[in-house]
Amino acid sequence: MASALLKVAVAGVSRCSLAALLRAHSTAPLHQSVPGSLWKLGKLNHIAIAVPDMEKATALYRDVLGAKVSDKVPLPEHGVYTVFVELGNTKLELLHPLGEKSPIAGFLQKNKSGGMHHICIEVDDINTAVADLKAKNIRTLSAEPRLGAHGKPVMFLHPKDCDGVLVELEEA
């Protein structure tokens, strides 16, 4: 009976949110395998925020809120400058456009004040995770993982398949 009710309750929920819903109501450990899979979803690595003024945003977190912030680092292969803000349990990644073809420039044209751009979740095996998600019809924004800001392989999942949220997977 409970199983039938759960099936009815989540019938209209997307694949990404269904997995999140099931994890949220589970008593299993946080770092767990996806059912029938060889990869594991890990912790939240960071939340990325697109900012129109990197110096102003950095000063807010460092000088006003008292957080430890990294130096500004250019990532030309991703078209962004990044600054990481260290928090006790995760990080914020401040993103600012680098170059005319920056995906962040387009985001900021639509969102003049900036805002949340994506979330990043760690996985233990990026290649297996990507293959499994593609088999489950979750679209990715590139054919293969690329090196991210931490020098580790990353893959972005299409927001239309994840309830409007751009999800970055990063190998732990």
mmCIF file of all heavy atoms in Angstrom, residues 17-19 23-24 35 52 67 70 77-78 98 114 129 138 140 143 154 156 158 164:
data_model
loop_
_atom_site.group_PDB
_atom_site.id
_atom_site.type_symbol
_atom_site.label_atom_id
_atom_site.label_comp_id
_atom_site.label_asym_id
_atom_site.label_seq_id
_atom_site.Cartn_x
_atom_site.Cartn_y
_atom_site.Cartn_z
ATOM 1 N N SER A 17 14.485 15.309 -9.295
ATOM 2 C CA SER A 17 13.818 15.611 -8.035
ATOM 3 C C SER A 17 13.308 14.350 -7.360
ATOM 4 O O SER A 17 13.219 14.294 -6.143
ATOM 5 C CB SER A 17 12.694 16.613 -8.239
ATOM 6 O OG SER A 17 11.718 16.095 -9.095
ATOM 7 N N LEU A 18 12.964 13.312 -8.121
ATOM 8 C CA LEU A 18 12.544 12.049 -7.523
ATOM 9 C C LEU A 18 13.682 11.469 -6.695
ATOM 10 O O LEU A 18 13.487 11.072 -5.553
ATOM 11 C CB LEU A 18 12.113 11.050 -8.600
ATOM 12 C CG LEU A 18 11.787 9.648 -8.110
ATOM 13 C CD1 LEU A 18 10.656 9.674 -7.088
ATOM 14 C CD2 LEU A 18 11.424 8.756 -9.283
ATOM 15 N N ALA A 19 14.884 11.477 -7.262
ATOM 16 C CA ALA A 19 16.031 10.950 -6.513
ATOM 17 C C ALA A 19 16.265 11.774 -5.255
ATOM 18 O O ALA A 19 16.517 11.229 -4.180
ATOM 19 C CB ALA A 19 17.281 10.957 -7.392
ATOM 20 N N ARG A 23 15.967 10.441 -1.377
ATOM 21 C CA ARG A 23 17.111 10.582 -0.462
ATOM 22 C C ARG A 23 16.712 11.376 0.771
ATOM 23 O O ARG A 23 17.125 11.080 1.878
ATOM 24 C CB ARG A 23 18.285 11.267 -1.156
ATOM 25 C CG ARG A 23 19.107 10.333 -2.010
ATOM 26 C CD ARG A 23 20.395 11.009 -2.436
ATOM 27 N NE ARG A 23 20.165 12.246 -3.166
ATOM 28 C CZ ARG A 23 19.859 12.311 -4.457
ATOM 29 N NH1 ARG A 23 19.725 11.220 -5.162
ATOM 30 N NH2 ARG A 23 19.679 13.465 -5.054
ATOM 31 N N ALA A 24 15.887 12.409 0.583
ATOM 32 C CA ALA A 24 15.494 13.273 1.704
ATOM 33 C C ALA A 24 14.679 12.520 2.741
ATOM 34 O O ALA A 24 14.713 12.841 3.920
ATOM 35 C CB ALA A 24 14.699 14.466 1.184
ATOM 36 N N PRO A 35 20.568 3.367 -6.627
ATOM 37 C CA PRO A 35 20.112 1.976 -6.743
ATOM 38 C C PRO A 35 20.509 1.353 -8.079
ATOM 39 O O PRO A 35 20.304 1.941 -9.131
ATOM 40 C CB PRO A 35 18.589 2.089 -6.617
ATOM 41 C CG PRO A 35 18.379 3.346 -5.847
ATOM 42 C CD PRO A 35 19.495 4.264 -6.252
ATOM 43 N N PRO A 52 27.852 40.538 -11.009
ATOM 44 C CA PRO A 52 28.220 41.543 -12.005
ATOM 45 C C PRO A 52 29.495 42.313 -11.640
ATOM 46 O O PRO A 52 30.155 42.863 -12.509
ATOM 47 C CB PRO A 52 27.013 42.479 -12.053
ATOM 48 C CG PRO A 52 26.345 42.304 -10.734
ATOM 49 C CD PRO A 52 26.637 40.904 -10.283
ATOM 50 N N ALA A 67 34.191 36.215 5.946
ATOM 51 C CA ALA A 67 34.560 34.894 5.416
ATOM 52 C C ALA A 67 35.968 34.913 4.825
ATOM 53 O O ALA A 67 36.480 35.963 4.426
ATOM 54 C CB ALA A 67 33.563 34.464 4.351
ATOM 55 N N SER A 70 39.195 33.171 -1.535
ATOM 56 C CA SER A 70 40.388 32.881 -2.335
ATOM 57 C C SER A 70 40.732 34.083 -3.203
ATOM 58 O O SER A 70 39.971 35.059 -3.286
ATOM 59 C CB SER A 70 40.124 31.665 -3.230
ATOM 60 O OG SER A 70 39.229 32.008 -4.276
ATOM 61 N N GLU A 77 39.069 28.368 -20.148
ATOM 62 C CA GLU A 77 38.376 27.249 -20.796
ATOM 63 C C GLU A 77 36.898 27.184 -20.437
ATOM 64 O O GLU A 77 36.098 26.584 -21.146
ATOM 65 C CB GLU A 77 39.069 25.913 -20.484
ATOM 66 C CG GLU A 77 39.085 25.511 -19.027
ATOM 67 C CD GLU A 77 40.186 26.155 -18.166
ATOM 68 O OE1 GLU A 77 40.901 27.054 -18.645
ATOM 69 O OE2 GLU A 77 40.297 25.756 -17.003
ATOM 70 N N HIS A 78 36.508 27.830 -19.332
ATOM 71 C CA HIS A 78 35.108 27.896 -18.922
ATOM 72 C C HIS A 78 34.519 29.300 -19.116
ATOM 73 O O HIS A 78 33.329 29.510 -18.886
ATOM 74 C CB HIS A 78 34.953 27.483 -17.454
ATOM 75 C CG HIS A 78 35.236 26.040 -17.213
ATOM 76 N ND1 HIS A 78 34.304 25.058 -17.422
ATOM 77 C CD2 HIS A 78 36.373 25.411 -16.808
ATOM 78 C CE1 HIS A 78 34.836 23.870 -17.142
ATOM 79 N NE2 HIS A 78 36.093 24.063 -16.774
ATOM 80 N N LEU A 98 34.499 36.028 -18.201
ATOM 81 C CA LEU A 98 35.845 36.176 -18.761
ATOM 82 C C LEU A 98 35.701 35.962 -20.263
ATOM 83 O O LEU A 98 35.423 34.851 -20.712
ATOM 84 C CB LEU A 98 36.802 35.141 -18.158
ATOM 85 C CG LEU A 98 38.187 35.035 -18.797
ATOM 86 C CD1 LEU A 98 38.952 36.349 -18.659
ATOM 87 C CD2 LEU A 98 38.979 33.910 -18.180
ATOM 88 N N GLY A 114 22.785 39.634 -10.848
ATOM 89 C CA GLY A 114 23.425 38.349 -10.567
ATOM 90 C C GLY A 114 22.448 37.405 -9.903
ATOM 91 O O GLY A 114 21.241 37.648 -9.886
ATOM 92 N N ALA A 129 29.045 7.807 -13.439
ATOM 93 C CA ALA A 129 27.847 8.601 -13.150
ATOM 94 C C ALA A 129 27.270 9.185 -14.434
ATOM 95 O O ALA A 129 26.058 9.103 -14.676
ATOM 96 C CB ALA A 129 28.174 9.716 -12.154
ATOM 97 N N ILE A 138 19.088 11.752 -18.875
ATOM 98 C CA ILE A 138 19.453 13.052 -18.307
ATOM 99 C C ILE A 138 20.486 13.650 -19.257
ATOM 100 O O ILE A 138 21.546 13.053 -19.489
ATOM 101 C CB ILE A 138 20.036 12.918 -16.884
ATOM 102 C CG1 ILE A 138 19.052 12.233 -15.941
ATOM 103 C CG2 ILE A 138 20.482 14.285 -16.362
ATOM 104 C CD1 ILE A 138 17.807 13.024 -15.629
ATOM 105 N N THR A 140 23.381 16.173 -20.722
ATOM 106 C CA THR A 140 24.558 16.869 -20.207
ATOM 107 C C THR A 140 24.875 18.025 -21.149
ATOM 108 O O THR A 140 24.468 18.027 -22.312
ATOM 109 C CB THR A 140 25.762 15.920 -20.101
ATOM 110 O OG1 THR A 140 26.059 15.381 -21.400
ATOM 111 C CG2 THR A 140 25.480 14.774 -19.131
ATOM 112 N N ALA A 143 29.824 16.701 -24.164
ATOM 113 C CA ALA A 143 29.889 15.271 -24.467
ATOM 114 C C ALA A 143 30.681 14.498 -23.407
ATOM 115 O O ALA A 143 30.325 13.376 -23.057
ATOM 116 C CB ALA A 143 30.506 15.056 -25.846
ATOM 117 N N VAL A 154 34.547 17.533 -14.157
ATOM 118 C CA VAL A 154 33.184 17.975 -13.867
ATOM 119 C C VAL A 154 32.294 17.748 -15.079
ATOM 120 O O VAL A 154 32.765 17.668 -16.215
ATOM 121 C CB VAL A 154 33.132 19.470 -13.462
ATOM 122 C CG1 VAL A 154 33.963 19.739 -12.223
ATOM 123 C CG2 VAL A 154 33.536 20.380 -14.603
ATOM 124 N N PHE A 156 28.183 19.146 -16.306
ATOM 125 C CA PHE A 156 26.959 19.871 -16.010
ATOM 126 C C PHE A 156 25.773 19.116 -16.581
ATOM 127 O O PHE A 156 25.814 18.657 -17.726
ATOM 128 C CB PHE A 156 27.007 21.289 -16.588
ATOM 129 C CG PHE A 156 27.902 22.214 -15.813
ATOM 130 C CD1 PHE A 156 29.245 22.328 -16.117
ATOM 131 C CD2 PHE A 156 27.387 22.968 -14.762
ATOM 132 C CE1 PHE A 156 30.067 23.180 -15.399
ATOM 133 C CE2 PHE A 156 28.203 23.823 -14.033
ATOM 134 C CZ PHE A 156 29.547 23.924 -14.350
ATOM 135 N N HIS A 158 21.739 19.135 -17.676
ATOM 136 C CA HIS A 158 20.812 20.110 -18.247
ATOM 137 C C HIS A 158 19.742 20.498 -17.221
ATOM 138 O O HIS A 158 19.102 19.630 -16.635
ATOM 139 C CB HIS A 158 20.153 19.543 -19.498
ATOM 140 C CG HIS A 158 19.601 20.597 -20.388
ATOM 141 N ND1 HIS A 158 18.534 21.392 -20.030
ATOM 142 C CD2 HIS A 158 19.982 21.007 -21.620
ATOM 143 C CE1 HIS A 158 18.269 22.233 -20.994
ATOM 144 N NE2 HIS A 158 19.135 22.022 -21.985
ATOM 145 N N GLY A 164 14.832 22.714 -13.357
ATOM 146 C CA GLY A 164 15.253 24.099 -13.548
ATOM 147 C C GLY A 164 16.555 24.465 -12.869
ATOM 148 O O GLY A 164 16.958 25.617 -12.901
#
